[in-house]
Amino acid sequence: MKYDLCVVGLGYIGLPTASIFATRGKKVYGLEINPRVVATINRGEIHIVEPDLDVLVRAAVQSGNLVAGANPVAAETYILAVPTPFAGSHGPIPAPDLTYVESAARGIAAQVTEDSLVILESTSPVGTTEKVKAWIDDERARRKLPPVSGAQYAHCPERILPGQMLKELVSNDRLCGGLTRPAAERARDLYRSFCNGEIHVTDARTAEMVKLTENASRDVQIAFANELSLVCDRLGISVWEVIKFANRHPRVKILQPGPGVGGHCIAVDPWFIVEAAPDLTPLMQAARRVNDGKPQWVLEKIRALGARFRSPVVACLGLAFKADVDDLRESPSLHIVEALAKTPGFKLLVDEPNISELPRSLQLPHVTKVTAVEAIKGADIVLLLVNHKQYAAIDRDLLNTKVLLDTRGFWS
Ligand code: SAJ
């Protein structure tokens, strides 16, 4: 049997993408190396938290159009949706780690035919789509399989926002960058089956750069807000008021300061541009340093506030990398709480409403998981790290007698 689609990697991007194609009538095979994930999906369940994803996956699996497995299959189109983290650093600049993309490409190489379309969705450094083709050609040569010069390649980057993935998957504009024009147009026709936004056609290198540019742009803008927050704090001015009023200017749109930039996109992707041109990117490098420095600033603030108490109890509200998600990866809030837990004399009462137990790094005698209200009641200092919706409802009277550090300006 030949599937319409084989989606490689059933994570935060691959799973919603595979499922939405399946609910639009495509026969989809999800290729996934983790056997627990395969079993979960085939039961119609999910292994990640994202609003309404459970309903979509259940519908996709029950329709018979989505099946997960560990072996490469024959398909018209392959979509690679695997992680592209960075691998340690060579000097001050982290290098991209393309090993997942390479092994995904080599893994499907034997199945690729003259008629195949191979799409890279993973956020990738410029030139990666060309590498995908080269890895597939190389793997086929290594296995003594005939070359497939007719196979088509495109980069169609995902651009969906965690927390609003399903809405954005359908409504966002899409970019299809081909190694050739027919490849881009074929990809465009495929995404039309569910994408209501405009679908723009370009070349693969431009598409790669656009995706990186979007996240680098956001990183630079958040860095501006974070830098402002340091200056305003020193000058005794509320940064939230400054931004609120500055944003009343018709051409000013400053983002919000916070405890740092987390997640596996915005804190990572600018480095892919920097790595390609270190001598030309002082602004992007500075933005990364500003945002990466913010957790340490929060930590020092809290330690200074803690010096007022003999044995300070700190309510830490939120561990996720941003509001209303359960994702702790690259979370500045988690890093701050982990460092606070190592501060002698500090006791921590921690709330993270989207997880059921503390990560192992925080399973310590002086760190307790409680509800937000319990944490506030029992604390000397309240540290708000994430603007989860649950915290909006907290009775402000509870905070009156507490020393407060609101890193998001949520209660100001
Ligand atoms: N943050 C701030 N202040 C702000 C906005 C965000 O401190 O004003 C922080 C958040 O708390 C979080 C980090 O930045 O720690 C990133 O959050 P985010 O909501 O800006 O973005 P992500 O990482 O969830 O998703 C981004 C999105 N990119 C853009 O908005 C340009 C999304 O559309 C991409 O699909 C995603 O990266 C990705 O996968 O690349």
Side-chain angles (χ1 to χ4, degrees):
M1 156 174 187
K2 192 167 189 179
Y3 288 86
D4 294 318
L5 273 166
C6 171
V7 177
V8 187
L10 291 178
Y12 282 87
I13 299 306
L15 183 56
T17 304
S19 306
I20 201 151
F21 271 121
T23 57
R24 302 297 159 109
K26 304 277 184 206
K27 288 273 176 207
V28 184
Y29 182 87
L31 178 58
E32 169 58 54
I33 51 173
N34 183 334
R36 272 187 29 230
V37 173
V38 169
T40 305
I41 306 300
N42 284 336
R43 285 198 306 270
E45 294 167 12
I46 55 174
H47 60 292
I48 47 184
V49 171
E50 177 63 31
D52 302 330
L53 182 61
D54 53 345
V55 179
L56 184 74
V57 171
R58 200 178 317 125
V61 172
Q62 282 176 357
S63 71
N65 281 348
L66 174 64
V67 60
N71 302 311
V73 293
E76 301 277 338
T77 301
Y78 295 88
I79 294 182
L80 312 185
V82 292
T84 44
F86 43 58
S89 48
H90 52 77
I93 298 171
D97 174 3
L98 296 180
T99 50
Y100 297 102
V101 181
E102 179 171 354
S103 67
R106 290 189 185 277
I108 58 163
Q111 304 285 346
V112 171
T113 66
E114 291 287 346
D115 305 322
S116 299
L117 170 64
V118 180
I119 295 174
L120 175 66
E121 276 212 19
S122 315
T123 305
S124 302
V126 172
T128 309
T129 310
E130 287 151 307
K131 286 185 178 157
V132 167
K133 176 180 183 328
W135 284 320
I136 287 175
D137 290 346
D138 177 69
E139 186 64 23
R140 290 186 66 87
R142 217 177 55 79
R143 296 190 194 193
K144 307 214 174 350
L145 295 166
V148 280
S149 52
Q152 294 175 318
Y153 294 85
H155 180 53
C156 306
E158 61 80 12
R159 299 153 103 191
I160 52 183
L161 192 72
Q164 299 185 33
M165 283 182 158
L166 299 192
K167 184 174 152 280
E168 293 208 351
L169 197 57
V170 173
S171 62
N172 282 4
D173 278 18
R174 189 109 208 174
L175 197 57
C176 294
L179 286 190
T180 60
R181 181 85 187 180
E185 287 173 354
R186 189 169 155 193
R188 176 195 61 200
D189 295 345
L190 179 71
Y191 285 104
R192 271 208 182 121
S193 64
F194 69 79
C195 177
N196 294 339
E198 254 186 79
I199 307 183
H200 310 273
V201 167
T202 182
D203 61 87
R205 290 172 73 85
T206 302
E208 287 159 348
M209 189 62 182
V210 169
K211 169 65 206 226
L212 300 178
T213 299
E214 291 165 0
N215 281 355
S217 147
R218 197 155 167 85
D219 195 46
V220 169
Q221 291 177 55
I222 297 169
F224 180 70
N226 277 333
E227 191 166 282
L228 267 186
S229 74
L230 308 189
V231 176
C232 287
D233 182 72
R234 180 176 294 173
L235 301 183
I237 302 167
S238 160
V239 70
W240 320 107
E241 287 252 310
V242 169
I243 292 175
K244 184 174 82 184
F245 292 135
N247 280 348
R248 301 301 296 174
H249 184 287
R251 283 177 296 284
V252 174
K253 180 82 192 79
I254 302 168
L255 293 182
Q256 296 298 301
V261 167
H264 37 103
C265 308
I266 293 193
V268 175
D269 301 348
W271 289 120
F272 296 174
I273 300 180
V274 170
E275 215 254 345
D279 53 326
L280 302 177
T281 48
L283 179 66
M284 287 184 242
Q285 295 180 48
R288 280 282 69 246
R289 278 198 301 278
V290 168
N291 288 334
D292 279 351
K294 193 70 194 286
Q296 185 61 30
W297 183 87
V298 173
L299 192 61
E300 281 162 20
K301 274 260 158 210
I302 282 287
R303 284 179 176 155
L305 293 172
R308 298 183 196 172
F309 302 89
R310 188 173 303 155
S311 175
V313 180
V314 184
C316 304
L317 303 189
L319 294 175
F321 86 94
K322 67 175 196 173
D324 307 325
V325 300
D326 68 332
D327 194 345
L328 306 188
R329 289 177 299 172
E330 308 298 331
S331 169
S333 307
L334 176 62
H335 294 155
I336 291 166
V337 177
E338 284 170 345
L340 263 187
K342 292 191 183 121
T343 308
F346 276 61
K347 287 205 181 80
L348 308 184
L349 301 173
V350 180
D351 174 59
E352 171 43 70
N354 300 303
I355 60 170
S356 55
E357 62 174 34
L358 289 176
R360 195 169 303 161
S361 60
L362 290 178
Q363 292 181 6
L364 301 164
H366 58 292
V367 180
T368 316
K369 187 177 188 305
V370 291
T371 65
V373 169
E374 285 163 351
I376 294 169
K377 283 186 177 161
D380 304 307
I381 303 170
V382 177
L383 171 60
L384 183 111
L385 290 163
V386 188
N387 43 337
H388 286 312
K389 58 178 186 279
Q390 291 87 342
Y391 301 154
I394 283 173
D395 181 356
R396 301 301 150 88
D397 288 345
L398 278 181
L399 301 168
N400 283 344
T401 57
K402 310 292 174 181
V403 176
L404 184 60
L405 182 59
D406 176 358
T407 67
R408 301 272 182 179
F410 196 50
W411 290 325
S412 52

